[in-house]
Amino acid sequence: MNNPIRLYMSMSLDGYIAGPDDRPGQELGRGGGRLFDWLDDRESDGPSGQVYREALATGAVISGRRTFELAGRWQGDHHSGVPIFVLTHHVDDGDVPLGHACFVTGVEECARRARAAAGDRPVMVHGAGAAQALLRAGQVDEMEIHLVPVLLGDGRRLFDHLGGDHIELRLVRRLDDRDVTHLRYEVRRPEETA
């Protein structure tokens, strides 16, 4: 696929993407910053540098509303001026995000607009809520999980609310680096698993 919708998330071995009590001023929750220690190597020529450069080469971003707000709305620019589509349930009158961001209330519409905006580049997905909504709608093509060898024990889980449907994955890449394993999975469609 020339422009996959790809989830990019750092996650603890027990499935958390943030520690407990994530909120403004403590965006990653208590202890959640540990999940991003691998970014210390983002400028390297190693696997973490490669993965980071690939993430910054994406052509659009889909974010959940909560992630968008906790990130300070990225001041309207996630990276390189790419469009940011914020998946949300409700938009308040007069709430217009800065820069390259816009609110979208429909999952399929959000995926369609992000793919069109990204051209031939992948679409980056951030946030548990957006990831779950897109997975339930069959709109995620790949997942890049930065698996960190820690058990946070509590916090915000990535895959808590997927519903009862079985989702098959195929490992397409594994890159080991200092204190992280970068795993890329392809989401298999039901017709591929039948």
Side-chain angles (χ1 to χ4, degrees), residues 12 24 74 145:
S12 67
W74 292 298
I145 303 296

Side-chain angles (χ1 to χ4, degrees), residues 9-10 16 22 29 43 45 55 61 88 97 115 136 144 158 168 172 179 181 192:
M9 293 296 294
S10 291
Y16 293 99
D22 58 330
E43 301 297 328
D45 291 330
V61 173
T88 185
R115 275 192 212 275
R136 285 192 304 268
E144 183 87 32
L158 180 54
E168 286 285 337
V172 295
D179 217 20
T181 301
E192 297 171 341

Side-chain angles (χ1 to χ4, degrees), residues 59-189:
V61 173
I62 296 175
S63 174
R65 178 67 177 261
R66 189 168 195 286
T67 298
F68 181 66
E69 298 299 347
L70 283 173
R73 297 184 168 201
W74 292 298
Q75 292 75 47
D77 185 10
H78 187 279
H79 67 274
S80 305
V82 302
I84 304 166
F85 299 91
V86 182
L87 190 55
T88 185
H89 295 290
H90 176 76
V91 180
D92 293 326
D93 289 338
D95 186 4
V96 179
L98 297 173
H100 305 282
C102 67
F103 294 126
V104 184
T105 56
V107 176
E108 286 83 6
E109 177 191 359
C110 188
R112 181 186 52 73
R113 289 177 62 186
R115 275 192 212 275
D120 62 351
R121 298 187 295 169
V123 175
M124 172 189 284
V125 177
H126 274 320
Q132 292 165 23
L134 289 160
L135 278 165
R136 285 192 304 268
Q139 296 295 324
V140 174
D141 303 301
E142 296 177 350
M143 294 191 287
E144 183 87 32
I145 303 296
H146 316 298
L147 191 61
V148 178
V150 65
L151 301 173
L152 290 183
D154 196 7
R156 184 164 305 280
R157 287 188 184 271
L158 180 54
F159 300 118
D160 258 357
H161 305 288
L162 291 179
D165 290 339
H166 188 94
I167 299 172
E168 286 285 337
L169 307 174
R170 183 172 72 88
L171 182 66
V172 295
R173 182 174 79 178
R174 174 189 171 137
L175 300 173
D176 293 309
D177 207 356
R178 182 177 62 90
D179 217 20
V180 65
T181 301
H182 302 285
L183 301 166
R184 181 175 293 171
Y185 292 95
E186 179 181 88
V187 178
R188 297 180 65 197
R189 302 294 174 222

